[in-house]
Amino acid sequence: MSRPQRHQPQRHALVLHAAADAARETPGVAFLRPGLGDLLRGAAARAPGGGPVADTRMAGVRAERQDHPERWHLRIHLAVRTGHRAIDVTRAVRARTETAVREALADGGEAPAVSVTVTVTDIT
């Protein structure tokens, strides 16, 4: 099994944004749940010259990439709206996120494998 690899921050940001947007737009999702690091971080990262760097962190979404063959694994933490079944929401989020990330990474070649783990942290 290949080990996780460092990769281009822009590609990582693309994956995070596609996954977060797909999850947020899924019916029944109240919000993505930030982790402790997201809560403590506060200020946005800055490049040495003072400009913004590629956003490689997204509250509620983590992504790891493996090479040979290219494969992405995403972990999404979210809150479900009251009145929605958590199992139905997690299935929908997983399917929408996998599709959105594959489409975002499609560059005319074969789309990479994408797997998604969804954890419900709250029902609001």
Side-chain angles (χ1 to χ4, degrees):
M1 181 175 192
S2 61
R3 296 171 35 143
Q5 300 292 316
R6 288 258 176 224
H7 47 280
Q8 298 174 343
Q10 295 82 5
R11 193 159 171 90
H12 194 153
L14 178 70
V15 167
L16 291 175
H17 285 279
D21 290 346
R24 276 191 212 104
E25 294 169 2
T26 304
V29 172
F31 56 88
L32 299 182
R33 174 66 103 197
L36 181 59
D38 299 315
L39 296 172
L40 295 175
R41 187 172 312 104
R46 293 268 172 211
V53 296
D55 185 6
T56 59
R57 312 258 329 162
M58 179 71 57
V61 181
R62 295 289 173 264
E64 292 178 350
R65 178 180 179 228
Q66 295 179 330
D67 286 326
H68 312 296
E70 183 179 12
R71 176 176 186 80
W72 286 86
H73 178 71
L74 293 101
R75 293 182 313 274
I76 300 175
H77 293 251
L78 55 82
V80 172
R81 292 188 186 282
T82 302
H84 292 267
R85 289 178 18 143
I87 189 72
D88 294 336
V89 174
T90 58
R91 287 176 179 158
V93 167
R94 186 172 32 246
R96 288 177 75 139
T97 302
E98 287 174 358
T99 300
V101 170
R102 278 193 205 104
E103 288 175 358
L105 294 173
D107 55 4
E110 187 175 326
V114 176
S115 63
V116 179
T117 301
V118 179
T119 303
V120 173
T121 60
D122 197 6
I123 298 176
T124 61

